Amino acid sequence: MRILHTSDWHIGRTFHGTPTLSALRGVLDALVAEVRARDVDVVIVAGDVFDSATPAADCYTLLSDTLAALREAGASVVVTSGNHDSAARLGFQARLLREGIHVLTDPAQIATPVTVADADGPVHVYGIPYLEPALVRRLWPGVRTQAQALAHAMDLVRTDAAVRGGRYVVAAHCFAAGVEPTPHLERDIQQGGLDVVPLAVFDGPDYAALGHIHGRQVLSERVRYAGAPLHYSFGERDKPRGAWLVQLDAAGQVATEWVGLPVPRPLTVLTGTLDELLGDERFAFAEDHWVSARYTDTAAQVDPMRRLQARFAHCAEVRYTPAQVATADERTFAARVEAARGSDVELVDAFLAHVRGGQSADDDEAELIREVLGERVAAEASA
């Protein structure tokens, strides 16, 4: 059986204020084409289908269109909810969907799999939605952490699978021990302590299709993250986008292949002085990329975003990262003024150092200050 494992579509998410719906539609169209070309039997979407618990209408349209296209391409589809989804909103239309499309959001139904057969017999697909301990505690008394919730859910799955017999697969959305998260990206699930799920929790199934981490990761031959289909952060710019193609033989042995997906617009981080960023030809390759610009001038520059967007139309982020940082002066501004009473030049220099984090006037600036102050003194003397 051929299973395509994808996750974390985050339909409706923006990238630095720019909608990503159109770009995501193109990538999901490519995913459908891969399903058709590779004769995939089952597509698993392991949570975070939407980016918000209250997605806009056009987000539902994209989801419905994609699920229908996957089904028309010949695959059964199993979708679970993630921590960004509203399980109720994602699951409300489950009974209205066409045959072969399954949206699994109810913790009470975890032990009821979607069963798909091939020439070697049935494969049972168990969908575990994101399990918030505070919400499932009434269903499973004593559960206090997500690790406990996942452990209980997997016990239910293993018990049911033992009765049914045959091959089985699990889809879940969690932070499993051993992964390397993208900083500031996988939101709302803690990455230490209570909410880390031990890898051993997923012992048993022939394959565990996990979601939540946005970059592909292999925790074991049978436990993997597929990551997100789009880049949603500059921190993940070097991580490939795609899905895992999992081939399950008659004995439940797994063979995997990475299926790459197109990147609508590359993400690039550029570093240099503002003048270099604006004019140096070595940065020309990134003029059509999403750009995070890190300018290294000694002093902060005026309106850098507007100026950079004149060259890089898709500059989404500007950071001031001076190459040289002056030693911090712990004195108050009043103390600096008191120490600079010797001359007006010293007073202006003290002010510049105060507002620029300790960086005094350079030689050209000092000459200009002396010139301006000299003209002022001459004007006052002739008045």
Side-chain angles (χ1 to χ4, degrees), residues 162-192:
V163 173
R164 293 179 190 272
R167 299 164 293 173
Y168 73 106
V169 171
V170 169
H173 194 88
C174 65
F175 183 82
V179 303
E180 296 180 3
T182 303
H184 312 299
L185 186 63
E186 287 88 17
R187 307 181 305 235
D188 303 333
I189 293 185
Q190 296 175 14
Q191 295 170 358

Side-chain angles (χ1 to χ4, degrees), residues 122-171:
V123 173
H124 308 297
V125 182
Y126 294 86
I128 301 177
Y130 171 66
L131 300 173
E132 175 60 51
L135 299 180
V136 298
R137 196 172 299 145
R138 57 183 174 80
L139 185 64
W140 304 328
V143 166
R144 297 294 175 186
T145 68
Q146 200 191 20
Q148 291 173 342
L150 262 295
H152 184 83
M154 284 299 302
D155 284 343
L156 295 175
V157 166
R158 282 186 285 262
T159 299
D160 184 78
V163 173
R164 293 179 190 272
R167 299 164 293 173
Y168 73 106
V169 171
V170 169

Side-chain angles (χ1 to χ4, degrees), residues 6 20 29 39 48 64 79 88-89 103 105 130 133 144 153 181 229 238 259 262 280 285 307 350:
T6 178
T20 62
D29 285 346
D39 197 23
D48 277 358
S64 299
V79 180
R89 285 189 172 88
V103 179
T105 63
Y130 171 66
R144 297 294 175 186
D238 296 325
V259 178
D280 198 314
F285 76 94
R307 295 164 66 186

Side-chain angles (χ1 to χ4, degrees), residues 243-329:
W244 288 112
L245 180 64
V246 181
Q247 298 194 58
L248 207 59
D249 69 13
Q253 294 300 308
V254 168
T256 56
E257 177 186 351
W258 180 251
V259 178
L261 291 174
V263 176
R265 190 180 304 282
L267 281 68
T268 301
V269 174
L270 303 179
T271 302
T273 66
L274 189 58
D275 284 344
E276 290 172 338
L277 294 172
L278 293 173
D280 198 314
E281 280 304 306
R282 76 178 188 272
F283 299 129
F285 76 94
E287 288 177 355
D288 195 43
H289 292 195
W290 287 115
V291 168
S292 173
R294 318 289 171 84
Y295 74 94
T296 60
D297 299 65
T298 301
Q301 300 297 297
V302 175
D303 204 5
M305 176 66 86
R306 180 189 59 79
R307 295 164 66 186
L308 285 162
Q309 285 179 339
R311 182 181 189 185
F312 307 103
H314 304 284
C315 183
E317 179 182 67
V318 177
R319 296 186 185 180
Y320 173 43
T321 56
Q324 295 181 344
V325 179
T327 304
D329 190 335

Side-chain angles (χ1 to χ4, degrees), residues 4 16 53 85 169 197 247 287 337 376:
L4 193 74
H16 291 270
D85 299 309
V169 171
V197 178
Q247 298 194 58
E287 288 177 355
V337 170
R376 172 178 170 271

